[in-house]
Amino acid sequence: AGDASSKGGSDEEVYNLRVATALDLTNNQMDGFPIFKDIVEEKSEGRIQIEHVGGPEAIPGFNQGSAVSNGSIDMSWVFSSYYSENVPEALVSNFTELTYEEELEKGSFEYLSEIHEERMGVKLLGRAAKGKYSIYLNDKVESTEDFEGLSIRGTATYTPLLEGLGADVISMEAGDIYSALERGMIDGFAWANYSVTDIGVQELLKYQVVPDFNTNDLLILINSNTFVELPADLQEIVSEAAVESYFEMAKGVEKVIEDEHKEIEENGAEFIELKDSEKFKEIALENSWEWLETKINSDINELEKYFRK
Amino acid sequence: MLHGYFNNTHVTLMITFLKTKAYKEYLSRRDIMSTDNKSGLFRSYSFLDRIITFTEKIMLIIAATCIFLMLLSIVYGVFSREVLNAPVIWTNDFAGYLMVYSVFLAAPWILKHDGHVKVDLILGILKGKVLKFMNCVIFAVSAIASFIFFWYSLKVTLSSYSRGVVLLDNIPWPEYLLLLPLAIGTFFLTIRFLLLLIKELLTFKTTANIDIDVPEIQAR
Amino acid sequence: MEWYIVITLFFVLLMLFILTGFPVAFGFIAVNIILTILFIGLDGGLQTFVRSAFESLGSFSLTPIPLFILMGEVLFHSGLVMKLIDVLSRWMGRLPSRLSILTMAAGTLFSALSGSAVANAAMLGSSMTPEMEKRGYHLKMSVGPILGAGALATIIPPSTTAILLGGLGGISVGDLLIGGVIPGILLAVLMIIYFMALGIFNPSVAPVYDVDKTSWNEKLRSLVFDAVPLMGLIVLVVWLIFSGFATPTESAAIGALGALLLPIVYGRLTVDVLKRSILGTLKVSGMILLILAASAGFSQLIAFTGAARGLVDAVLSLNVDPLVSVIGMLLIILILGTFIEPISILMITTPLYIPVVTALEFDLVWFGLLVLICLGIGNITPPFGLLLFVIRGVIPSNVSMKEIYKSVIGVITISLVGVIIIIIFPEIVTWLPSVGAD
Ligand code: NA
Ligand code: NA
């Protein structure tokens, strides 16, 4: 991992960190990455070099958690659901009731990071993207009851909600959504509440469901060995840059969403507000917590302490 | 020219070949070879070969079953969606996992029957000991490559097992069960490559080339 | 390391392993191990390689491969496809170049029933050439159509090569399969016209002979009983994908099920047929998919090292028409095709080509079809076109390779003309998938 040769490192050494991202850098959800890179390289005065090895074409998104864990790469900007079979607890980042500020104050991510270290030898540096989730459909729905029997692409992030709605969940990476939708293999897909135009599906899309729900789970992982091999001051720079870059990218999200909604409408898609939107949000949250409890190996009360109101 | 592809894609041709004079000659030559060499080395080789061949056949039968299960699983998926109006969603994933099993479990048997496609541009013009030497290099390097693949797939599988990783998909498959065929398949590929290597070494002195080239076949 | 050094290293290593006669799958594994250790690191890198191999096979886009192969194998081993030749023959009157056209038509239909060009060529070679030789047909009139149809097999659905390309390049498999229909028919028609013209202008290459009169009753009977069920299966499979009613995987499963049911109806499904079909399926699909799994890490390494990006930037900075870049890429495939088999070419070129074509903003289905046609041409180009050797092995008389080489020039030329037509009129490929999508 990196060019670090000795534990603790020296002041002179240059550390090269190899980073993969679960989506291409052209995707707006990855907007925090270049900011992170700039901050780290500047503050470390070049002692850390961030090398972007690529997106899912370099390492499949679903493998990036393992790749950080086994040291193939040093860091990854990856959704918790892409590696959550290793650490189901990571999914709590979707189902949180707190804002990131509140989570940071409570030390929620430190707790979650410990579980990550224990299970897969990676540290969790925090969130990487602000945002929520949406469901995009080709079939019209009016209420929560109309989802029954629809086939919807979704990762573990969405499974509890979609199952709660009676829909069928089909798991696939972002790159497969377009053709699956086009060929009618799925009736729709769950995705972040922005950057849907970055995967190019707007031309196929008929409806975006309102309201949005839950919380974007794009996280920053770093290999534990890589991290401890960095000198203490560099460790601090990296950790702080992770948080700083989140808030920096968060500033731009509203604008991204606004622009994108225009583009979606220009492509002929409609926004449909559910009649029972409160019930929808309720299912999204409560089903998710119930579901999570059945999947984790640790104490749900601890998770609730750190991620619920 | 492509020797493996040729042999394995056209089974009808092979069957025609099995009835030819060339094949009978090949068989008798092979018998002479094995009866001429009653040395201990040869006996241990053929003993090992028989055990591995048997194992390969068992794996082949499992692989064949996987293909039929794939077919049934997907057809059942369509049937439940279109006819029963009660879609099931595990069938696609299940078919994918079955395919992984069928590929890796059939691979050693395919190797034994020289079915893995190769470009024998250079092999085709080599003869006698040079050819044997080249084959030895190929078998040895392939054995090493298969072994390394086996070793790391074992490592990945065991790690997944010990951490109790379970998929969060429609059906909670334990991940190690899905990874397992990679290790099993490449283990037996390694053994088969070693057996091929040993066979080449044991027959190195005989100039008779016991491997047949692409058969010249007369149409029926 | 500079991107071109990386690409050269990748290419040279692969060529070294493949050309010295390593089974392709193991050549890929060996090269991937070497490169992974070099660029990513031993322990973690190889674990990632193994996971990539698993991931690439587990993805849903490849499951049609064994099922389509099973469909073809059952129809071949049960002897049902051979009946098609009989039906076609009854319906064809005293045409010029009659047997050549019959062979070409049968070969096109065979392509639509199986993914295997080799099986098609061998089947046609052993069944049609004795008759053609007896009737005094010139070699280019007897071997030509078989090889022509063989080149078509990579584009006429179901084509395993197309599914593989879709899975590797992230191109819609359904669109690639549907997109092959019109170009396939176009090429088949061009070739039929070519053979007919040859027969008309030089009757000595395909002497006209008297055909036994078949009654209309017999013609209809053979059509309804021997051709309609098989044609129905072809149409069904393509329609299922086209209409979006079923995924390619589901269509393949339904096709395979149909292929198993038909011989039962004809009383031709024996244990032996079943056994040979499943063994054939395991051999062919296992061989193809193992190469795919072995090369999964390869395309990722090309991306990981930045070589793919370097190549894309270099091509973009070239001061030439983007179309020239596309033609250059196709030429490389044609050249590789003269001495390597299609699947390896696909594995080597796809990871490099797709980012470039995407950056140049060309339609990927259109480009994919051009690649598939060029791969098909590679199957029949001297000196090492696979089908040339298959044909030589199955035709009755002792013909030299040189004579076979000469006989294939015509169909290669026509295929190249087809490539040019499709480059000029991309709609030939893109129209049908675009209609099916709605
Ligand atoms: Na075909
Ligand atoms: Na060739």
Side-chain angles (χ1 to χ4, degrees):
Chain A
D3 294 334
S5 49
S6 62
K7 217 171 178 160
S10 74
D11 290 352
E12 307 303 317
E13 207 160 358
V14 171
Y15 296 88
N16 182 39
L17 301 185
R18 297 193 294 189
V19 186
T21 48
L23 302 173
D24 292 335
L25 286 186
T26 51
N27 192 295
N28 282 125
Q29 290 186 74
M30 297 297 153
D31 286 353
F33 172 74
I35 303 174
F36 172 86
K37 177 178 157 79
D38 286 348
I39 297 175
V40 168
E41 289 180 354
E42 199 188 307
K43 285 200 177 163
S44 70
E45 292 167 336
R47 285 162 63 209
I48 299 180
Q49 292 296 316
I50 303 289
E51 181 199 348
H52 183 245
V53 297
E57 77 288 353
I59 295 179
F62 288 179
N63 282 351
Q64 288 190 10
S66 310
V68 178
S69 170
N70 66 35
S72 296
I73 48 175
D74 299 303
M75 300 181 77
S76 167
W77 263 237
V78 62
F79 301 100
S80 74
S81 56
Y82 281 21
Y83 64 89
S84 53
E85 67 279 358
N86 294 290
V87 190
E89 286 83 353
L91 290 169
V92 77
S93 54
N94 296 284
F95 311 139
T96 184
E97 289 183 88
L98 309 183
T99 63
Y100 193 30
E101 287 91 336
E102 290 167 334
E103 286 169 348
L104 290 173
E105 209 165 294
K106 274 197 177 178
S108 312
F109 271 82
E110 276 146 35
Y111 172 72
L112 204 52
S113 184
E114 274 168 34
I115 301 179
H116 277 71
E117 283 206 64
E118 203 178 286
R119 304 271 175 75
M120 51 192 296
V122 305
K123 268 185 78 72
L124 178 54
L125 293 182
R127 294 188 179 276
K130 184 183 165 74
K132 287 169 162 288
Y133 291 114
S134 252
I135 295 178
Y136 302 83
L137 291 179
N138 275 348
D139 286 19
K140 185 154 187 159
V141 289
E142 285 174 350
S143 74
T144 48
E145 279 149 32
D146 300 334
F147 287 89
E148 182 83 42
L150 294 183
S151 298
I152 299 178
R153 175 268 175 192
T155 54
T157 300
Y158 314 97
T159 303
L161 167 66
L162 294 174
E163 282 181 353
L165 294 168
D168 300 322
V169 195
I170 297 177
S171 171
M172 65 184 78
E173 283 206 40
D176 293 328
I177 294 179
Y178 188 97
S179 62
L181 199 62
E182 191 180 25
R183 287 286 138 213
M185 183 182 168
I186 50 176
D187 302 311
F189 59 96
W191 188 253
N193 63 340
Y194 60 98
S195 88
V196 67
T197 53
D198 296 331
I199 51 174
V201 291
Q202 66 274 21
E203 57 195 58
L204 299 176
L205 210 58
K206 298 211 178 95
Y207 307 103
Q208 179 172 346
V209 176
V210 179
D212 305 337
F213 58 95
N214 294 356
T215 305
N216 190 303
D217 67 333
L218 188 70
L219 305 176
I220 303 177
L221 301 182
I222 185 166
N223 181 286
S224 295
N225 293 331
T226 305
F227 191 77
V228 297
E229 278 166 8
L230 293 174
D233 62 324
L234 294 186
Q235 290 183 2
E236 202 167 311
I237 288 173
V238 169
S239 302
E240 282 173 3
V243 176
E244 209 176 306
S245 60
Y246 169 91
F247 287 106
E248 198 56 39
M249 83 76 73
K251 287 178 193 165
V253 169
E254 290 305 318
K255 175 86 171 94
V256 168
I257 294 179
E258 195 181 308
D259 291 348
E260 190 172 75
H261 280 196
K262 272 186 212 141
E263 193 178 340
I264 289 172
E265 279 178 321
E266 276 164 18
N267 273 286
E270 265 178 67
F271 290 85
I272 33 174
E273 168 111 42
L274 296 176
K275 282 187 292 194
D276 48 355
S277 61
E278 281 313 309
K279 185 177 172 198
F280 178 79
K281 283 185 170 175
E282 174 82 10
I283 296 173
L285 194 62
E286 292 308 325
N287 264 49
S288 299
W289 277 95
E290 276 168 33
W291 180 85
L292 187 63
E293 189 175 358
T294 65
K295 302 292 177 189
I296 59 171
N297 309 308
S298 56
D299 185 1
I300 190 78
N301 295 321
E302 282 295 300
L303 279 183
E304 285 183 328
K305 202 170 86 191
Y306 285 112
F307 291 94
R308 295 203 85 161
K309 286 208 160 135
Chain B
M1 161 161 94
L2 295 148
H3 177 154
Y5 198 75
F6 181 92
N7 280 342
N8 72 50
T9 28
H10 195 239
V11 184
T12 317
L13 259 189
M14 275 315 291
I15 284 151
T16 319
F17 172 70
L18 293 178
K19 293 172 190 155
T20 61
K21 229 168 88 187
Y23 181 67
K24 288 189 183 118
E25 270 177 34
Y26 157 71
L27 278 184
S28 64
R29 218 168 30 182
R30 200 183 57 177
D31 289 343
I32 291 165
M33 262 228 18
S34 47
T35 45
D36 273 1
N37 292 283
K38 287 283 185 191
S39 72
L41 269 177
F42 260 100
R43 256 178 285 152
S44 352
Y45 164 77
S46 50
F47 176 69
L48 202 60
D49 181 53
R50 254 177 288 149
I51 293 176
I52 297 301
T53 304
F54 178 75
T55 320
E56 284 163 350
K57 275 191 187 148
I58 301 286
M59 293 195 294
L60 183 73
I61 292 169
I62 300 174
T65 314
C66 287
I67 297 277
F68 282 115
L69 283 179
M70 258 181 97
L71 172 62
L72 292 179
S73 149
I74 291 169
V75 168
Y76 175 71
V78 178
F79 184 77
S80 64
R81 183 182 69 213
E82 301 298 335
V83 182
L84 304 182
N85 234 336
V88 284
I89 40 184
W90 49 267
T91 51
N92 270 315
D93 289 344
F94 186 53
Y97 303 143
L98 285 169
M99 193 171 81
V100 179
Y101 265 87
S102 82
V103 169
F104 279 90
L105 294 187
W109 176 83
I110 298 175
L111 175 61
K112 183 185 155 67
H113 292 84
D114 197 17
H116 286 293
V117 59
K118 60 190 181 205
V119 180
D120 54 3
L121 211 68
I122 291 173
L123 286 186
I125 50 173
L126 298 182
K127 290 218 161 58
K129 287 204 171 142
V130 188
L131 177 63
K132 280 194 177 292
F133 176 76
M134 198 58 220
N135 275 334
C136 287
V137 173
I138 290 172
F139 294 148
V141 174
S142 300
I144 295 170
S146 304
F147 180 78
I148 295 175
F149 194 103
F150 156 72
W151 185 254
Y152 284 93
S153 39
L154 185 68
K155 200 166 173 175
V156 166
T157 310
L158 289 179
S159 142
S160 180
Y161 175 76
S162 66
R163 288 181 296 126
V165 176
V166 170
L167 296 199
L168 299 171
D169 288 350
N170 313 310
I171 291 190
W173 311 100
E175 192 194 40
Y176 80 92
L177 275 184
L178 310 178
L179 293 164
L180 196 59
L182 276 70
I184 297 175
T186 45
F187 175 76
F188 283 98
L189 281 169
T190 310
I191 303 282
R192 180 47 72 190
F193 271 122
L194 289 175
L195 285 174
L196 287 168
L197 176 64
I198 293 170
K199 186 169 126 194
E200 288 294 294
L201 291 173
L202 286 175
T203 59
F204 205 86
K205 281 185 208 136
T206 54
T207 40
N209 185 10
I210 61 166
D211 282 316
I212 5 147
D213 293 323
V214 176
E216 294 282 334
I217 299 153
Q218 300 299 307
R220 287 150 289 176
Chain C
M1 215 183 280
E2 294 294 333
W3 66 269
Y4 49 87
I5 301 178
V6 176
I7 288 186
T8 310
L9 178 68
F10 278 39
F11 194 74
V12 167
L13 268 179
L14 261 181
M15 284 299 151
L16 183 74
F17 277 92
I18 291 179
L19 291 182
T20 48
F22 272 80
V24 172
F26 300 93
F28 265 107
I29 291 178
V31 172
N32 267 324
I33 289 173
I34 296 170
L35 295 173
T36 302
I37 294 172
L38 202 59
F39 289 106
I40 307 186
L42 180 70
D43 190 63
L46 290 177
Q47 288 187 43
T48 302
F49 172 40
V50 167
R51 282 197 170 270
S52 297
F54 172 76
E55 190 95 350
S56 67
L57 281 187
S59 82
F60 73 99
S61 57
L62 296 172
T63 36
I65 290 181
L67 297 168
F68 274 135
I69 293 176
L70 179 63
M71 169 173 138
E73 292 281 334
V74 174
L75 293 176
F76 273 72
H77 289 297
S78 61
L80 289 187
V81 284
M82 294 306 283
K83 292 186 169 223
L84 280 177
I85 298 181
D86 196 45
V87 180
L88 284 172
S89 176
R90 280 178 206 269
W91 280 80
M92 227 173 251
R94 267 186 55 147
L95 284 172
S97 319
R98 183 178 190 274
L99 289 172
S100 307
I101 294 166
L102 175 58
T103 307
M104 193 65 223
T108 308
L109 286 178
F110 283 12
S111 296
L113 288 165
S114 91
S116 167
V118 177
N120 293 350
M123 184 78 67
L124 283 170
S126 54
S127 58
M128 295 301 292
T129 46
E131 171 80 1
M132 291 196 268
E133 193 165 294
K134 200 176 90 191
R135 302 280 179 194
Y137 271 51
H138 187 276
L139 201 62
K140 74 177 163 196
M141 299 303 285
S142 59
V143 167
I146 300 175
L147 295 171
L152 292 185
T154 48
I155 51 169
I156 291 183
S159 150
T160 42
T161 326
I163 300 168
L164 217 48
L165 174 60
L168 275 172
I171 312 173
S172 157
V173 170
D175 284 357
L176 276 179
L177 293 176
I178 297 299
V181 173
I182 296 179
I185 294 173
L186 172 76
L187 282 175
V189 170
L190 284 179
M191 286 180 193
I192 286 175
I193 293 172
Y194 164 73
F195 288 115
M196 204 181 279
L198 280 183
I200 292 170
F201 292 115
N202 185 3
S204 71
V205 294
V208 177
Y209 61 96
D210 280 325
V211 185
D212 294 338
K213 280 258 181 237
T214 321
S215 69
W216 275 101
N217 197 356
E218 258 178 88
K219 279 189 190 180
L220 282 173
R221 240 186 92 86
S222 70
L223 182 71
V224 171
F225 288 105
D226 294 336
V228 168
L230 282 185
M231 303 290 285
L233 193 62
I234 299 173
V235 172
L236 174 72
V237 166
V238 174
W239 178 80
L240 284 172
I241 304 174
F242 177 72
S243 65
F245 177 84
T247 62
T249 303
E250 291 170 347
S251 320
I254 293 169
L257 185 70
L260 282 167
L261 293 178
L262 278 183
I264 294 179
V265 175
Y266 286 96
R268 278 169 171 267
L269 191 73
T270 61
V271 175
D272 188 48
V273 166
L274 208 57
K275 195 176 147 191
R276 279 195 274 159
S277 304
I278 189 70
L279 286 186
T281 306
L282 283 170
K283 269 193 173 180
V284 181
S285 65
M287 180 273 292
I288 295 173
L289 292 169
L290 190 70
I291 297 178
L292 183 100
S295 65
F298 184 69
S299 59
Q300 285 152 25
L301 272 166
I302 285 180
F304 194 95
T305 52
R309 242 169 308 156
L311 179 69
V312 170
D313 292 344
V315 173
L316 289 181
S317 70
L318 282 180
N319 216 354
V320 296
D321 192 301
L323 211 50
V324 174
S325 308
V326 168
I327 293 168
M329 290 188 267
L330 296 177
L331 278 177
I332 292 175
I333 290 187
L334 287 172
I335 294 166
L336 289 175
T338 60
F339 58 98
I340 318 183
E341 48 74 50
I343 299 166
S344 309
I345 300 174
L346 212 54
M347 299 295 162
I348 297 168
T349 56
T350 310
L352 293 169
Y353 283 4
I354 296 299
V356 173
V357 177
T358 310
L360 295 175
E361 298 182 344
F362 282 110
D363 187 289
L364 284 178
V365 177
W366 167 77
F367 180 74
L369 251 301
L370 289 172
V371 167
L372 291 171
I373 299 176
C374 290
L375 288 172
I377 297 174
N379 256 339
I380 58 170
T381 40
F384 296 106
L386 171 58
L387 298 185
L388 303 173
F389 290 92
V390 175
I391 286 294
R392 188 179 169 225
V394 295
I395 54 179
S397 57
N398 263 330
V399 183
S400 73
M401 270 329 276
K402 207 170 143 195
E403 287 172 277
I404 292 187
Y405 291 164
K406 271 198 265 173
S407 70
V408 78
I409 295 169
V411 283
I412 292 178
T413 312
I414 291 177
S415 305
L416 289 174
V417 168
V419 169
I420 294 167
I421 294 177
I422 290 170
I423 288 178
I424 300 172
F425 304 104
E427 296 80 12
I428 295 172
V429 172
T430 55
W431 177 71
L432 201 56
S434 73
V435 177
D438 293 323

